[in-house]
Amino acid sequence: MLLIQNIRLSRILRNTWHVDLIMIASCTAAYFVREYLIAHHFSIPSIIPTVLGTAIAFFIGFNNNQAYDRWWEARKIWGALVNDSRSFARALINYVDEDEESVKRMICRHIAFLYALKASLRGTVDEIYTKYLSEADLKEIKKHNNAHNAILNIQSRDLQKLSKANAIDGFRFIEINEMLTRFSDSMGMSERIKNTIFPTTYTYLTKVFIWLFVVTFTLVISQDAGPAAIFLGWLIGFVFVSTQINGMSLVNPFENNSAGVPLNQITRTIEINLLQMLEEDEIPEPVKPINDEYIL
């Protein structure tokens, strides 16, 4: 997630330089085609790039709006996980009677759940969660394809054991079990965003229309601007392409990049909070921003 208010132009160019080169080549080709092939035969009406530019602006706006909705929904889901995690740990610590070992085990297992979910969403191999699990838990989890779902199943079973041992009363059992249900809901919503592909035609057609606009704009403006039409065509195209790339960077909010939801920071924050609630001595450091620009 980006932390700074103003993005450096060099950073934008690093993300778009390959597209910029293709646009410059396209504008150059369009200029020479107009200059040496069609200049003496007919002129292209200026209404064509005008209409195309207006249509593309609406299309990019729609795509970016939908992309931000995906990102914001993902951020709200993990914000809820922060709140529910703290409430879950607080309830276990204060509501469970005379079974501190089970309380600690369930809270540590919840930290493992978060790390396992994060690794799954980002498609990475992250074994951090294993240090918060017992050998028995690890053995059982290996039987499942979905490690974080298996962890929730173990949590539910241990909560049932606490209820049967009268370590927790019925009302508080229902309250804590409801939190496990919310964890499952958040897990499912995150997986839905992860597994639902943004419609390919949206991005593909937007790219095609932008190239068509850049070429026709260069053809039209070269009638008056001459060789400067190459630069002007690239400049206008750069605005559209940069705006489109900015929106598409939010389409997959769980990716490990500067525009994604900062899962590393959120997970570490919950881990620190829960370990401090357990009064542990070894507390990890918070995740620090990279180059003071963004945090993962």
Side-chain angles (χ1 to χ4, degrees):
M1 182 177 71
L2 291 170
L3 301 175
I4 55 177
Q5 296 293 328
N6 299 315
I7 302 177
R8 300 170 186 169
L9 181 60
S10 59
R11 180 179 183 82
I12 298 175
L13 292 175
R14 281 200 305 270
N15 293 332
T16 63
W17 67 268
H18 53 293
V19 181
D20 293 333
L21 292 178
I22 298 174
M23 274 199 298
I24 292 173
S26 300
C27 292
T28 302
Y31 169 75
F32 283 111
V33 166
R34 189 265 166 193
E35 189 70 17
Y36 296 104
L37 294 180
I38 65 175
H40 303 294
H41 300 285
F42 64 90
S43 61
I44 299 175
S46 60
I47 191 65
I48 293 178
T50 301
V51 172
L52 275 175
T54 303
I56 292 169
F58 280 111
F59 212 80
I60 291 176
F62 172 79
N63 287 352
N64 287 7
N65 184 62
Q66 298 304 307
Y68 182 78
D69 281 347
R70 284 168 64 97
W71 185 91
W72 182 239
E73 183 181 2
R75 185 62 187 87
K76 288 193 294 183
I77 290 169
W78 276 78
L81 276 172
V82 173
N83 299 335
D84 290 339
S85 296
R86 293 166 176 163
S87 297
F88 178 70
R90 184 167 57 251
L92 287 173
I93 291 171
N94 294 288
Y95 294 168
V96 177
D97 298 326
E98 300 178 358
D99 198 342
E100 294 182 3
E101 183 178 347
S102 294
V103 168
K104 181 177 180 180
R105 184 170 60 249
M106 291 184 70
I107 293 176
C108 288
R109 193 183 290 132
H110 179 68
I111 297 174
F113 161 77
L114 295 170
Y115 274 108
L117 177 58
K118 183 197 77 170
S120 175
L121 294 175
R122 286 194 164 166
T124 59
V125 178
D126 189 346
E127 300 296 333
I128 294 178
Y129 75 92
T130 58
K131 72 177 184 179
Y132 288 107
L133 298 172
S134 64
E135 290 296 327
D137 289 347
L138 287 172
K139 185 177 180 180
E140 180 174 346
I141 290 170
K142 287 180 179 179
K143 300 176 184 178
H144 298 261
N145 294 328
N146 191 322
H148 38 288
N149 185 59
I151 292 173
L152 284 184
N153 188 55
I154 298 172
Q155 293 280 67
S156 183
R157 189 174 61 219
D158 273 14
L159 182 62
Q160 179 66 16
K161 290 179 180 178
L162 289 175
S163 178
K164 288 183 177 180
N166 293 321
I168 187 171
D169 63 40
F171 176 78
R172 288 168 177 170
F173 168 84
I174 293 173
E175 184 177 347
I176 297 175
N177 186 65
E178 177 62 27
M179 294 179 193
L180 292 178
T181 301
R182 290 203 293 270
F183 294 145
S184 182
D185 291 342
S186 296
M187 175 184 70
M189 289 187 287
S190 297
E191 291 172 335
R192 170 173 52 79
I193 295 174
K194 167 72 175 178
N195 297 326
T196 302
I197 299 174
F198 195 77
T200 306
T201 52
Y202 284 15
T203 55
Y204 176 76
L205 290 177
T206 302
K207 292 177 183 177
V208 171
F209 293 156
I210 288 176
W211 290 119
L212 182 59
F213 167 75
V214 169
V215 170
T216 55
F217 178 82
T218 305
L219 289 172
V220 170
I221 201 174
S222 62
Q223 298 171 178
D224 299 315
I230 297 174
F231 171 76
L232 294 174
W234 165 80
L235 182 63
I236 299 301
F238 175 77
V239 173
F240 281 91
V241 169
S242 298
T243 305
Q244 197 255 353
I245 290 177
N246 176 65
M248 293 304 98
S249 67
L250 302 177
V251 165
N252 298 310
F254 297 122
E255 283 192 356
N256 193 28
N257 60 41
S258 60
V261 175
L263 300 186
N264 290 356
Q265 180 200 40
I266 295 173
T267 307
R268 179 61 60 80
T269 297
I270 299 174
E271 179 184 12
I272 292 172
N273 291 162
L274 269 53
L275 291 177
Q276 288 177 337
M277 293 172 74
L278 289 173
E279 299 181 353
E280 293 291 312
D281 295 325
E282 296 183 8
I283 306 296
E285 293 291 326
V287 174
K288 297 180 180 179
I290 298 175
N291 298 327
D292 293 325
E293 290 186 62
Y294 61 92
I295 197 162
L296 298 176

